[in-house]
Amino acid sequence: MKMTEKNDAEMLAEYDRFFYRSSLVSMFWAVIQARKKRKTPFRMRQLSDALNIDKSIVSRWFSNSPNWTANTVADIANALNLELRVSVYDRQDGKIYTAAGEQEQAQTTTNQVKREAPITSSESSSIRVV
């Protein structure tokens, strides 16, 4: 029984890591795509130059699931002239926290995932998009 619980916890952790990585990539990609439509289109070369890295590295980031450090995320946001806003959602009581403390509950978006309990192999319905 304990082995199943451990596997379920590992599956949940793996899902969370993938979800957060892909959310960050999608968020930055949405900004880049919007900026490509401007009068003076944004080029990936601008991002690689601002980060002082090879353009091929930037291309790989957006074609795979990169394992960015917090420093890399902050560097990309700065290179794109973005302000990052971070919050966490308490799955047990539904409260939202930021560095300033507990926040008023905002309307839930379709991108937020609510889980009542850890995912088990027989309970894939415990993940609901709300």
Side-chain angles (χ1 to χ4, degrees):
M1 188 71 151
K2 282 196 174 212
M3 187 61 157
T4 303
E5 290 173 12
K6 183 177 180 183
N7 288 338
D8 290 345
E10 288 174 359
M11 286 174 42
L12 177 60
E14 184 177 331
Y15 169 81
D16 282 344
R17 287 189 296 268
F18 176 79
F19 178 80
Y20 298 134
R21 278 194 312 267
S22 64
S23 293
L24 284 168
V25 171
S26 296
M27 177 180 60
F28 287 134
W29 187 246
V31 171
I32 290 167
Q33 290 302 307
R35 291 183 181 179
K36 284 183 174 187
K37 296 176 183 175
R38 291 181 176 174
K39 279 186 180 180
T40 307
F42 179 84
R43 302 281 181 230
M44 294 300 271
R45 169 65 70 193
Q46 292 171 265
L47 181 57
S48 64
D49 288 347
L51 296 170
N52 199 28
I53 59 174
D54 191 82
K55 184 178 177 270
S56 65
I57 294 171
V58 174
S59 294
R60 270 182 275 161
W61 284 347
F62 291 99
S63 62
N64 294 317
S65 182
N67 193 13
W68 289 326
T69 64
N71 289 344
T72 302
V73 171
D75 290 346
I76 294 169
N78 285 329
L80 293 171
N81 196 26
L82 300 171
E83 177 184 326
L84 287 173
R85 297 182 181 184
V86 179
S87 64
V88 294
Y89 175 79
D90 188 321
R91 293 176 182 148
Q92 288 184 327
D93 62 18
K95 294 182 180 178
I96 296 174
Y97 297 89
T98 67
E102 186 178 334
Q103 302 298 302
E104 290 293 322
Q105 185 84 10
Q107 264 193 326
T108 306
T109 67
T110 57
N111 293 333
Q112 289 177 314
V113 175
K114 181 178 180 181
R115 283 195 294 267
E116 298 291 325
I119 301 171
T120 64
S121 55
S122 63
E123 295 180 320
S124 60
S125 64
S126 63
I127 298 178
R128 295 192 312 253
V129 176
V130 292

